[in-house]
Amino acid sequence: MADWHWVFDIARRQISSTVQPSVFQRRVAAAKSIVQHFQLQDKLEYHEGCVNCLHFNENGTLLASGSDDLKVVLWDWQRKKPVVNYKSDHYSNIFQAKFMPLCCDRVVVSAARDGRIFKAVLSCDGELRENKRVANHHGAAHKLALLAGDPHVFLSCGEDAVVYEIDLREDQPHKLVTIRSEETHRKVALYTIFSNPANLHEFATAGRDQYARVYDRRKIVMDAESSAPLKMFCPHHLSGGDHTENITCLVYSYDGREILCSYNDEDIYLFDSSHSTGAEHIKKYKGHRNNATVKGINFYGPKSEYVVSGSDCGHIFLWDKETTEVVQFLCGDDNGVVNCLEPHPNCPVLATSGLDHQVKIWSPIANKATDLDGLDVTMSTNEREREEEKRIPPDPVSERLFRRLMRHARRHRMQNVDGDDSSESSSDDSSEESEDETTHPITCRQA
């Protein structure tokens, strides 16, 4: 990323109108020198558990967060004050909370480990008027995908391998597709979903295998148990065979031309979304560690100039998208893991969260640019620990026992909360048990 000639641009902005405010703003946010001056600005404290998700509203004045404490908080982040907070009807870790577009910040949708998807409607003075369940996955629901400019429709994905299209004007969600492995025909538990901002019919999803699958909602075969994707992406060295690596998060670039995928205990890979199935990645970003949790990934910059990720070592890494060099390296979490990274939609500001109970706000307020102190040692340590982990043989018996215990706990919670709904979930879980026996280890420790 070419650096910003700030003296020249500021002078032109002062003496003439040739520099449009929006152009000036983009140049500031994308400047390497700005990114290299990032420093912790504020800590937002209210939650009593790990903060698992962050989302700015459309103009960036409010920030939504969801936590293991089952609360959703809407922050006036500049004043460091929660302006709205409500106890959700989720009964397990909240994994996603998002403002629906074009709703005056009054409609928030959420997803959680309990598999439930809720729509919360707020009054003008911030009171919770309605909290309605709009869908239910049989297994954890990690991510929601909004459609730009659509205040009614969004997508959800879950560990039951199902993608739902949810229209808030309708009583029931529409089951779009069940994702199955093309090789084994087993269901693929899903961790992530994202809508193409340049083509709202297209979305990408991924989870407990090594493939990013792209679908067009118009071309999915209705009422079919599964439907073939338009295309699939995977680094060549991870395709086929008995690989345990899986995708924890994927996102599209601002113009939909690229898809960024973060792999569990592997590297981050960039794909050209216009390429056909089987095309190799075009960039690779490394140095972090993604093992302890289902970790997020994001682009930073108005034109996706940077790649940003958290790490098990507690640091935040920012790479130049084109050169793949690390340009910023920040200590992001006292408890050692950074999971969520949310760029501000307009300003050079980044919000992050992890195992700490606070939300952290980063901005370019440092007196001097980063010297990347400790980066080489941290990258070497992360690489060594990754290789050591790979040499430890998996214990399928322990993994199977852990899954069964998790299912039992989930059924017990659903019986206490839902009554009759538990029977449906229990039968679904039982049918999946044999399929899950040989799948990859659960990577999320957000409990």
Side-chain angles (χ1 to χ4, degrees):
M1 177 65 202
D3 206 0
W4 174 47
H5 301 291
W6 61 273
V7 174
F8 178 69
D9 267 0
I10 289 176
R12 287 180 59 198
R13 190 183 183 202
Q14 290 293 104
I15 65 177
S16 72
S17 59
T18 59
V19 179
Q20 297 295 322
S22 59
V23 174
F24 182 84
Q25 186 181 55
R26 287 197 300 269
R27 288 176 180 172
V28 171
K32 181 178 177 180
S33 59
I34 292 294
V35 173
Q36 290 180 326
H37 280 78
F38 266 19
Q39 181 176 295
L40 182 62
Q41 174 181 313
D42 290 312
K43 292 183 180 180
L44 310 182
E45 300 188 6
Y46 185 86
H47 285 294
E48 298 174 343
C50 303
V51 181
N52 304 318
C53 57
L54 300 169
H55 186 238
F56 280 108
N57 63 350
E58 292 175 285
N59 60 17
T61 57
L62 296 176
L63 176 67
S65 62
S67 169
D68 289 355
D69 63 10
L70 309 184
K71 294 178 182 177
V72 174
V73 177
L74 309 186
W75 300 88
D76 181 340
W77 61 272
Q78 296 177 83
R79 299 171 60 199
K80 299 191 292 184
K81 292 184 178 181
V83 293
V84 175
N85 72 86
Y86 63 89
K87 185 73 174 289
S88 72
D89 286 337
H90 293 291
Y91 55 80
S92 191
N93 320 47
I94 298 176
F95 285 159
Q96 192 92 108
K98 287 180 174 286
F99 295 98
M100 287 297 291
L102 305 180
C103 288
C104 301
D105 307 325
R106 293 176 57 192
V107 179
V108 177
V109 290
S110 59
R113 183 188 286 276
D114 59 18
R116 297 168 153 204
I117 312 297
F118 277 94
K119 175 194 72 171
V121 179
L122 307 172
S123 65
C124 295
D125 57 1
E127 294 295 323
L128 181 64
R129 293 177 52 189
E130 177 187 11
N131 201 22
K132 177 184 178 182
R133 184 169 60 172
V134 295
N136 190 69
H137 288 273
H138 300 300
H142 289 271
K143 288 289 192 294
L144 306 173
L146 304 183
L147 310 182
D150 192 328
H152 305 295
V153 180
F154 65 98
L155 310 178
S156 71
C157 70
E159 290 190 20
D160 56 1
V162 172
V163 174
Y164 282 122
E165 180 183 86
I166 302 167
D167 190 326
L168 298 177
R169 296 164 296 187
E170 299 179 356
D171 293 331
Q172 297 294 327
H174 172 58
K175 183 177 178 181
L176 274 181
V177 63
T178 300
I179 309 299
R180 291 184 177 270
S181 167
E182 288 71 22
E183 299 170 354
T184 67
H185 204 58
R186 295 182 183 276
K187 291 183 179 181
V188 178
L190 300 177
Y191 295 144
T192 181
I193 188 168
F194 209 93
S195 176
N196 185 339
N199 177 5
L200 299 185
H201 298 292
E202 182 180 293
F203 68 91
T205 188
R208 205 178 292 160
D209 72 0
Q210 63 269 44
Y211 297 100
R213 295 171 173 85
V214 178
Y215 290 86
D216 188 315
R217 290 186 289 148
R218 299 167 298 182
K219 299 179 180 179
I220 292 175
V221 179
M222 298 300 175
D223 301 321
E225 176 61 18
S226 63
S227 186
L230 286 180
K231 56 186 73 175
M232 298 166 57
F233 297 111
C234 177
H236 287 178
H237 69 284
L238 297 180
S239 63
D242 188 24
H243 289 282
T244 60
E245 295 84 358
N246 62 85
I247 298 174
T248 62
C249 187
L250 60 75
V251 293
Y252 276 95
S253 60
Y254 81 104
D255 56 4
R257 295 181 180 180
E258 296 161 329
I259 298 176
L260 187 67
C261 299
S262 181
Y263 280 78
N264 175 56
D265 236 6
E266 241 277 353
D267 295 321
I268 297 167
Y269 296 92
L270 185 70
F271 297 92
D272 187 323
S273 63
S274 67
H275 288 175
S276 59
T277 290
E280 182 62 297
H281 62 275
I282 57 176
K283 300 284 183 182
K284 179 173 76 170
Y285 310 92
K286 59 183 182 179
H288 73 308
R289 184 108 196 271
N290 177 8
N291 176 264
T293 55
V294 178
K295 203 165 277 77
I297 188 76
N298 221 325
F299 287 103
Y300 174 82
K303 293 189 176 181
S304 305
E305 291 89 351
Y306 302 93
V307 171
V308 57
S309 174
S311 176
D312 292 352
C313 61
H315 289 90
I316 301 165
F317 288 76
L318 280 109
W319 295 265
D320 185 297
K321 187 182 73 174
E322 297 302 323
T323 68
T324 72
E325 69 170 332
V326 177
V327 297
Q328 183 56 279
F329 173 69
L330 302 161
C331 185
D333 194 276
D334 295 335
N335 284 315
V337 178
V338 178
N339 292 324
C340 306
L341 309 107
E342 175 74 359
H344 191 278
N346 305 311
C347 302
V349 170
L350 179 69
T352 67
S353 66
L355 297 189
D356 288 344
H357 297 180
Q358 311 101 356
V359 177
K360 295 182 175 68
I361 303 295
W362 308 83
S363 64
I365 60 174
N367 292 327
K368 64 176 183 177
T370 180
D371 55 9
L372 302 178
D373 184 42
L375 175 63
D376 291 340
V377 172
T378 300
M379 292 177 67
S380 297
T381 301
N382 287 342
E383 177 65 23
R384 183 183 70 252
E385 291 179 352
R386 178 196 291 180
E387 293 306 314
E388 291 173 352
E389 183 84 14
K390 288 181 178 180
R391 288 195 289 268
I392 300 174
D395 184 354
V397 176
S398 296
E399 291 168 12
R400 199 151 53 238
L401 178 61
F402 176 71
R403 290 181 187 281
R404 287 174 177 170
L405 288 172
M406 289 297 292
R407 288 193 192 96
H408 178 76
R410 184 166 63 244
R411 291 172 194 166
H412 180 70
R413 286 195 302 266
M414 293 186 75
Q415 286 171 356
N416 289 339
V417 176
D418 276 346
D420 293 339
D421 285 352
S422 62
S423 60
E424 182 182 1
S425 177
S426 178
S427 63
D428 182 87
D429 285 340
S430 299
S431 67
E432 289 301 299
E433 189 163 336
S434 61
E435 290 194 320
D436 285 346
E437 302 252 340
T438 57
T439 54
H440 306 312
I442 291 177
T443 55
C444 180
R445 290 205 309 240
Q446 298 164 327

